[in-house]
Structures are given as structure tokens and as C-alpha cells.
Amino acid sequence: MMEKVMQLNPIHSRHHVLWVFIIVHFSLLLFSAFSADISPRKILNGEKKKSCKVELHREDNRVFIDNGLVEVTIENPSGHLSGIKYKGMLNVLETRNNNNNKGYWDIVWDNEAYDKLATQHVKIITETDELVELSFTKMWDITKDHGSSVPLNVDKRYIVRRGVPVLYMYGILERQEDFPDAHMYQIRIAFKLNEDKFHFMAVSDTKQRIMPIQEDRDESRCQVLAFKEAVLLTNPTNPQLKGEVDDKYQYSSENKDNKVHGWISDDDAVGFWVITPSNEFRTGGPHKQDLTSHVGPTALSMFVSTHYTGTEMDVLYKKGETWKKVLGPVCMYLNSASWDEARHYRKALWNDANRQLREEIQSWPYNFTASEDFPHAQQRGEVNGQLLVRDQSLDKQLMQAKSAFVGLAAPAYAGSWQTEGKGYQFWTQTDNTGRFTIKNVRPGEYNFYAWVYGFIGNYKLNLKITIQPGNKINLGTLIYDPPRNGPTLWEIGIPDRTAAEFFIPEPNPTFVNSILNHDADKFRQYGLWDRYSDIYRDGDLVFTVGVSNYSKDWFFAHVPRRIGNETRATTWQIKYELQEVNKAGNYTLQLALAAASYAEVQVRINNPDANLPHFTTERIGYDNAVPRHGIHGLYRLYSINVPGNGFQRGNNTIFLTQTRCHDSFEAVMYDYIRFEGPAV
């Protein structure tokens, strides 16, 4: 038989080759035309035109929602997300995990107990060709649940819409008046993705890379560093990662920037993205930092936490107080890259995820949610106005509050929004003239708050603002008078609520994470606190006004100094010269802190050995910004009055002592320091 094939007639052979050429050429043309038209955006547009209707199927212990693009599987009645089928991937979630450890809500509550909010009932809220919305609920029962589950009524919602590869999730959490006291330190949704598939993580334009796998954090493959979250990879499964540090806090982000992050499966050119189109349901305001994605592969949607704030965040819910809040909706978006994008599919997937983010933001607040607890656009209000700054030491004229952060939050004191953990917050930035519009505000009572770049302090309008459906409130022109008692004699830093402008050292080469190579992320490298002891081996920091440069000579964190196996308190000096001294006048030291953790700053004037400091902050802060690689935590401002008879003509020195030194993480970060003369 083989010989017959080999002895084909030459004419037949030529015809055979010709037909093969025609078939292959035509196939290539078809493939080229097809692949050129399946970029992620074109996929979506094409699928919307011929998309399947949304279908709901039920089994005894599972519920399926399928729109032809994604098929979602939810455990019944627990409400745990057990499967997401997309393209050729039967499940983007980790199939080896139990169903309560794939896609789930959880709360860390009293005594650091975990509750994964397993529910007891499922109800179909909406079932049409265009959309399916399901509700999984549990009512807390004091006779059955006291001590075993967080005292909370739970309603977890899932939505799948026609024509989009998106799963929407939101929760309605409620406490009744007779529920016992409870702390709820953390509320989130977690997704544990397929460990064999998702290895590339992207949390911002600059923080993207192949990540270690969970196994790499085992004792046999890593060395645990100063705390359990930080490890040095000594024998990773991917040799290219050997010698790198991994720590989930290195991938944290501020609320205002934490809008899209996720993972990519290189084998399938498929992306899984957590998209947050609004921050209204998050706590702590626009600058609150929180986790994003990290080794697992894990992707998180964080709603409440004490990260970078500590227990100063208001997370205590008391008996006798009713509370109800909608968390979300957030969306899980899946996309895939085409063959013609194969060389740059990661960039294509990331860009497409950001495109989807813009679409979700434009659609906010969603009009397809069925819960009456989530008001649609026509049921919300709007606040607008203009913010100006009055500081006559800088300018005799009113100044425009450019790019100021302005927002609405629960009524309280100026700056209280930093630790407000129970209500809704709505923030925006002013334009170059100080004008602002805060849109889509839920009905309720609020105060108006602001802070302005380049000026210290917090602004609060002493007027309670009541938002009703459809109303628009014009606050007119508001004037902020930032704290000031006299003219500036000298200053260190920029009033921006961070320590980013100060000296951030190069990391120890032994403890580098290459995902943080961009200058904007440098402060998140591991172990920077120890670099202080390396740089200042023989004595503490001395800053000379008019000579020193704060970007080179002012260390970003006031930490203890390591000497051998001990850590010792550190005293920084600010040296300056006064040409004249008003002995009868009062001077002011404006001391703005960007972070504090179990710290105490004592201030002495011209006498470092004085038994009693002129001023002390006492023990302050729990934000752990130093070990968690933040450049700020909570903002604090101290206006310290100093009588003129404490100074001398000529050389003077202010001594700042950070007295706490049980470990390297008892520290403060300075935002800005200003020395003011007596009022003119």
C-alpha cells in the first residue's frame, strides 16, 4: 500500500499538490480574517449583536446562570460561588478547593473569627431573557446563631446580564436593634482562581508580573521575614523568581486608585478582573489603602478593613443601633485576546479591562439592580459649589482650591471621614477654579468635608446636608481658612498627607520585589525601615534649614535605630537660625503626621536633655504603615504653641524624639513641618 502511494502518477501528484495549496491558502485567508476581528473589544461588540438569552437552571444543591458567554455556578443554599465557565476554561476558580473557598464573602468579627456568610434560602428576584438576579439570604437567630456567626442579616445578590461576560455581585447587610454588640473588622469578597492557569497579576499600569504560586510560600521554598506575610523566595518553582520578596501588602492601593485589578492565564490568553465602579460603599475615604490581588492566585474586593488605620476605624456595631448597608455592586469581568494580539495579549487584556471599567463607571449607578435598597440615578441627588482658600500669609487674595478632595460623609468632626466605617461616602476633586460637582449621592444626611493640596488641616462645612431623591444643592462659594498663627519662618516637606516627597532609600539588594521597580512604587519595597540604621550608623538625622534638602536629607519614616540586636529611640534635630527673637510673642510649630503606629513624638526646644518635653503626642496610632509598605496611614495635625522666651537669637535646634522602640515598626511618618513666627 505504501509503495502504491509512493508511485503516484506525476500528473495526479501535481494536481494533488495544487489542491493542497489552494485549501491551505484559503484556510489561511479565513483564519486571518477571523483572527483580525476578534480583539477583546470586537468580541464584545460581536457577541452583543448575536448574544444568547440569559438562562437559569437549578439542581438540588446548585444554581446555574448562563448567558452564552459565561456560565456561573452557585452553591444552593449557601450562596458560595463555586464555578465560572468561560471560553474553553471549565472553571476559572480553583476546582481543588471546597465550594466555600472558591468565590465567597467573608467577615472577620469578634476575636478574629471568620464567617463566610453561608446562607439558607435562595430566591429568584428577576428572570428574563435579558437578566437574571438571584438572592441568597440568612436571617440571624439569637437562639441558634449567638456566638457562632456574626449577628447580621445577610442578602447576597448575583446578576448576569445578556451580552456581557460579567458577573455582578452585591450584598445587603443589616443589623436589627436587638442584635448584640459586634466588631466587624473586615468585610470582603474573595476569589481563589485556578492555580494551574492564572500566574500573571496586574494591579496597576506599573505593577504587573508573573507571580509566585502558593506552593512557593511553603517553608521548604521560602524564608519568612520579619512577619508572616513577607517571605524571601529561596527555592521557587519558577527559578526566575529566586531571591525575590513577596508580601501581599506590597500590592495595596488607595481606594481612589483601586478600580480594576486581576489575573491573566497565559495558556488561554484569558483575563479575570475585579472592577469597582464606585467607592461610595467603601470606608475611610479616597485615600484609605487596602489589599487588591496577591499570591494564591487570589483577587479581592475589599469593602471594610482596618488595614493602614488600625482599630481607630469605626467598626464597632452596638446593641440598640440599627444599621443597613449595600456593599457593591462590583463586577467580575472576563476577557480573552485574539490570535493577532498573541504577542501583546497581556497589554490587550489589561487595556480592555480598563475599557470595561470606563463603561461600568459611565453606567453607575446601575439601573438593572432590583433591590429597593440600591437607589437608581433618578432617586439620588447632587451637590455642587466652589471652594476657595484664605491664607493671607501666602496671598492677600482668595486662592482657588485646585484639585482639592471634597466629599460627603456621615456628620461628625472635621477629618472624621478617615475613620468612618459604617455609612456611605461620596468624593470628587475640584477643578482648577475650585469648582466641584458631587453626583449620584444616595438620600441621607451628610456633612461636607475637604482637604486642599499644599495646605494643612481639614475643612468641614458646619451645615448638615440632607439629600432627597432628585434634588440638586448648590453650596455656593465656601472659604477654607487653614490653620495658621503667623508667617512662615521655615518649612520641611509638602502638605500632601504623605511622606512621598522625603528620602526613600534604595532597598537592600537581598530583599527586592521587581514588580516595584517603578519610582512611584519604590516605597513599597521590603525592609526600608532597616535602611535608616544602615545610613545613620553613628548618629541620628540632623536637618539644617537652608542647607539640607528634604528629598535627600529627611528620611521618610522616623523609626527606631537598630544597634546590634537592640532597637533604640531616635532623636532627630532641626537646626535653624533666627535673626531676631520676639521674647514676648508666641511661635507655632505646625507638626503634620502622615502615619503613626504605637509611637510617641516628644518635642524639645534647644535642650535635648530636658526632663519634660515641651510637647508630646503621647502614644498614638495603630496604622502599621511602615511594615505594610504604605507611604501614609491616618493624617494628624498638631499646632504646638512655643513662647518666644524659649528661643535665642542666632542658632536654635528643635529636637524630635520618637520614644517608642520595642520593635522597628513603632514609628511615625511626617507629612509637613512648619515653623511660624508671632502673628503680625
Side-chain angles (χ1 to χ4, degrees):
M1 185 73 176
M2 184 177 293
E3 289 180 355
K4 291 181 180 178
V5 172
M6 295 296 291
Q7 296 174 2
L8 283 172
N9 184 294
I11 297 176
H12 291 165
S13 178
R14 286 194 298 271
H15 285 222
H16 176 75
V17 171
L18 180 61
W19 276 110
V20 169
F21 174 81
I22 292 171
I23 292 171
V24 170
H25 183 67
F26 184 69
S27 299
L28 287 172
L29 287 173
L30 283 175
F31 177 78
S32 177
F34 176 73
S35 66
D37 195 38
I38 58 171
S39 65
R41 186 161 191 170
K42 292 175 181 175
I43 285 176
L44 291 178
N45 291 339
E47 288 171 332
K48 285 178 180 177
K49 294 177 182 177
K50 55 180 181 180
S51 60
C52 302
K53 66 180 182 180
V54 186
E55 296 184 343
L56 174 65
H57 307 282
R58 295 183 64 176
E59 293 181 357
D60 290 340
N61 62 348
R62 291 185 297 179
V63 179
F64 305 89
I65 313 175
D66 187 354
N67 69 354
L69 302 177
V70 291
E71 180 183 275
V72 176
T73 305
I74 309 164
E75 189 178 63
N76 181 16
S78 72
H80 297 316
L81 180 65
S82 60
I84 302 176
K85 182 179 179 181
Y86 178 70
K87 296 292 183 181
M89 300 182 68
L90 296 179
N91 199 345
V92 303
L93 304 177
E94 178 48 59
T95 57
R96 289 165 289 200
N97 288 1
N98 294 329
N99 282 343
N100 68 351
N101 195 30
K102 294 178 179 177
Y104 57 91
W105 288 75
D106 73 14
I107 292 182
V108 179
W109 61 298
D110 289 351
N111 300 317
E112 297 190 358
Y114 274 82
D115 190 331
K116 291 195 172 180
L117 302 187
T119 48
Q120 299 169 339
H121 306 282
V122 60
K123 180 180 179 181
I124 301 172
I125 302 298
T126 306
E127 184 181 8
T128 69
D129 291 351
E130 300 299 317
L131 178 149
V132 166
E133 179 171 351
L134 300 181
S135 167
F136 292 81
T137 59
K138 175 190 174 182
M139 301 296 289
W140 193 79
D141 186 337
I142 192 170
T143 62
K144 300 177 182 178
D145 300 322
H146 186 67
S148 62
S149 66
V150 61
L152 200 65
N153 294 335
V154 177
D155 184 353
K156 299 187 294 189
R157 298 291 182 103
Y158 293 88
I159 298 175
V160 175
R161 300 169 62 211
R162 185 172 189 159
V164 287
V166 178
L167 168 63
Y168 297 89
M169 296 175 65
Y170 67 107
I172 306 162
L173 307 183
E174 181 181 24
R175 282 178 51 86
Q176 296 177 354
E177 190 174 7
D178 61 341
F179 285 7
D181 288 1
H183 289 86
M184 292 193 288
Y185 300 104
Q186 176 176 277
I187 306 175
R188 67 179 189 176
I189 308 175
F191 303 92
K192 302 297 181 66
L193 303 183
N194 190 314
E195 294 183 24
D196 297 329
K197 294 288 188 178
F198 292 93
H199 298 145
F200 187 87
M201 183 184 79
V203 298
S204 71
D205 288 337
T206 58
K207 286 189 281 190
Q208 303 184 11
R209 77 158 188 185
I210 292 285
M211 292 291 288
I213 63 174
Q214 190 63 45
E215 180 185 339
D216 293 332
R217 295 181 59 90
D218 293 345
E219 290 183 1
S220 62
R221 294 189 176 276
C222 73
Q223 171 191 342
V224 177
L225 298 176
F227 37 88
K228 65 180 182 179
E229 291 87 356
V231 300
L232 179 66
L233 303 175
T234 55
N235 183 31
T237 52
N238 181 350
Q240 293 182 348
L241 298 177
K242 184 176 181 179
E244 295 229 355
V245 168
D246 176 68
D247 180 351
K248 65 182 181 180
Y249 291 107
Q250 293 181 314
Y251 317 123
S252 296
S253 179
E254 291 188 354
N255 283 344
K256 65 181 176 61
D257 304 316
N258 186 0
K259 297 176 181 178
V260 57
H261 61 88
W263 292 82
I264 291 173
S265 168
D266 287 333
D267 292 343
D268 310 273
V270 163
F272 176 94
W273 309 100
V274 177
I275 292 178
T276 307
S278 171
N279 284 323
E280 67 180 50
F281 40 79
R282 284 174 166 164
T283 59
H287 311 294
K288 168 75 168 67
Q289 298 168 92
D290 227 319
L291 300 174
T292 55
S293 289
H294 59 78
V295 166
T298 299
L300 301 174
S301 178
M302 301 294 299
F303 300 112
V304 176
S305 85
T306 56
H307 298 144
Y308 302 94
T309 63
T311 53
E312 290 180 76
M313 179 63 68
D314 183 13
V315 293
L316 172 60
Y317 299 77
K318 295 182 179 181
K319 183 177 181 178
E321 298 176 354
T322 60
W323 176 80
K324 191 176 190 180
K325 188 173 182 179
V326 177
L327 302 178
V330 294
C331 52
M332 277 42 71
Y333 174 61
L334 292 106
N335 60 0
S336 60
S338 61
W339 283 101
D340 66 314
E341 293 169 325
R343 293 177 59 187
H344 306 288
Y345 64 90
R346 290 174 180 166
K347 182 178 181 181
L349 292 172
W350 172 250
N351 289 343
D352 179 62
N354 279 275
R355 176 203 56 77
Q356 186 67 28
L357 167 65
R358 292 190 293 272
E359 286 193 8
E360 301 297 338
I361 291 174
Q362 290 171 2
S363 301
W364 188 270
Y366 298 136
N367 62 6
F368 51 79
T369 53
S371 172
E372 63 182 15
D373 294 306
F374 183 79
H376 298 167
Q378 66 273 19
Q379 299 167 306
R380 297 181 176 228
E382 180 177 300
V383 174
N384 57 68
Q386 183 181 26
L387 182 63
L388 302 178
V389 179
R390 180 166 49 204
D391 187 341
Q392 294 190 356
S393 290
L394 296 180
D395 195 321
K396 299 300 180 183
Q397 303 296 319
L398 291 173
M399 294 171 282
Q400 295 156 338
K402 300 178 181 179
S403 300
F405 283 87
V406 298
L408 300 174
Y413 56 89
S416 59
W417 50 269
Q418 288 189 112
T419 54
E420 202 288 304
K422 297 176 182 176
Y424 300 96
Q425 297 196 25
F426 301 86
W427 289 85
T428 190
Q429 281 186 273
T430 60
D431 63 18
N432 286 335
T433 67
R435 289 182 171 83
F436 59 86
T437 299
I438 305 174
K439 299 179 179 180
N440 298 316
V441 183
R442 297 174 60 106
E445 290 190 342
Y446 303 91
N447 276 153
F448 175 85
Y449 302 97
W451 76 269
V452 186
Y453 177 89
F455 298 90
I456 60 175
N458 291 288
Y459 175 79
K460 173 196 168 185
L461 177 64
N462 291 319
L463 173 70
K464 189 173 289 186
I465 298 172
T466 301
I467 299 295
Q468 297 177 345
N471 71 342
K472 295 184 178 182
I473 298 175
N474 189 337
L475 297 177
T477 299
L478 309 175
I479 298 176
Y480 174 43
D481 293 291
R484 179 179 288 279
N485 293 323
T488 299
L489 300 182
W490 52 259
E491 58 187 349
I492 301 173
I494 302 170
D496 62 356
R497 298 181 175 237
T498 81
E501 70 270 27
F502 297 128
F503 176 67
I504 300 172
E506 294 297 323
N508 185 322
T510 306
F511 302 119
V512 171
N513 186 334
S514 61
I515 200 174
L516 305 171
N517 284 342
H518 194 277
D519 284 346
D521 306 316
K522 183 179 177 181
F523 66 86
R524 294 202 183 274
Q525 293 283 7
Y526 175 85
L528 298 185
W529 55 86
D530 274 340
R531 300 290 287 122
Y532 178 81
S533 300
D534 297 334
I535 296 169
Y536 296 94
R537 292 180 181 275
D538 302 320
D540 288 321
L541 183 151
V542 178
F543 187 93
T544 302
V545 173
V547 177
S548 301
N549 182 335
Y550 63 73
S551 65
K552 298 178 180 179
D553 302 315
W554 189 272
F555 201 77
F556 79 101
H558 193 162
V559 294
R561 188 148 57 96
R562 177 176 33 81
I563 301 176
N565 294 325
E566 297 181 2
T567 54
R568 297 184 183 178
T570 49
T571 298
W572 291 8
Q573 301 179 45
I574 305 173
K575 294 182 175 293
Y576 58 98
E577 185 175 345
L578 293 177
Q579 298 295 330
E580 299 290 341
V581 175
N582 183 345
K583 295 289 185 178
N586 285 316
Y587 293 73
T588 304
L589 182 68
Q590 302 284 8
L591 187 69
L593 302 183
S597 186
Y598 300 93
E600 178 184 6
V601 177
Q602 295 183 355
V603 180
R604 289 176 173 84
I605 310 295
N606 286 332
N607 182 6
D609 301 319
N611 289 331
L612 295 177
H614 178 79
F615 171 83
T616 176
T617 62
E618 300 184 333
R619 203 213 61 74
I620 51 171
Y622 307 91
D623 58 35
N624 266 340
V626 169
R628 287 180 170 170
H629 322 294
I631 201 63
H632 71 86
L634 294 178
Y635 177 80
R636 292 172 169 83
L637 175 65
Y638 301 93
S639 295
I640 304 166
N641 183 277
V642 186
N645 58 18
F647 301 105
Q648 60 195 19
R649 185 176 179 180
N651 294 327
N652 291 263
T653 304
I654 291 177
F655 299 90
L656 302 176
T657 302
Q658 202 295 99
T659 64
R660 306 289 173 131
C661 55
H662 293 95
D663 60 46
S664 298
F665 308 134
E666 295 178 327
V668 297
M669 295 181 191
Y670 299 100
D671 165 41
Y672 174 73
I673 302 174
R674 184 170 74 215
F675 186 54
E676 299 173 356
V680 178

